Amino acid sequence: MTLTVIAAFEAKPGREDDLRTALEAMIEPSVAEEGCLAYDPYVDPNRPERMVIVEEWAGPEALEFHFTTPHFRHVASLFDDLLTRPVSIRHLTTTAPVPLPTP
């Protein structure tokens, strides 16, 4: 069963571009990880200090490995300087397969 993660971030005033740059730098090495199925950053167009990354992992083991990687540890070390509050992380799984309509 895949694991979907929504990580929400809120940049300190004036640090929006720095946070965006840090999060965008995570894309390439993260999608190269075995078990990473998707890694997509988004920004709230009305509140540019608010950003999320929607991630999909093959399972919890792949996500746990992600937390040990050098690129994750590096960006996490920047959070105290960039964020107004700790990262909010939600782990989601599907409730049930959705049947496709038959023609």
Side-chain angles (χ1 to χ4, degrees):
M1 177 182 311
T2 63
L3 176 64
T4 301
V5 174
I6 300 173
F9 308 86
E10 187 169 325
K12 290 180 179 177
R15 302 303 303 268
E16 298 87 354
D17 288 340
D18 297 329
L19 178 59
R20 186 175 7 270
T21 298
L23 297 179
E24 288 174 350
M26 290 285 294
I27 298 169
E28 189 174 331
S30 296
V31 297
E33 292 175 40
E34 186 174 332
C36 181
L37 307 175
Y39 201 88
D40 302 309
Y42 297 89
V43 64
D44 183 332
N46 299 311
R47 302 275 311 268
E49 73 277 9
R50 291 185 179 179
M51 300 171 208
V52 298
I53 296 178
V54 179
E55 310 168 28
E56 188 170 0
W57 298 91
E61 299 83 10
L63 179 61
E64 288 302 317
F65 174 78
H66 173 66
F67 292 146
T68 69
T69 62
H71 54 276
F72 179 85
R73 288 192 314 253
H74 170 71
V75 79
S77 74
L78 304 175
F79 288 159
D80 283 345
D81 291 334
L82 298 177
L83 302 179
T84 60
R85 62 183 64 132
V87 178
S88 168
I89 299 176
R90 295 176 57 197
H91 296 199
L92 308 170
T93 57
T94 58
T95 57
V98 177
L100 297 175
T102 55

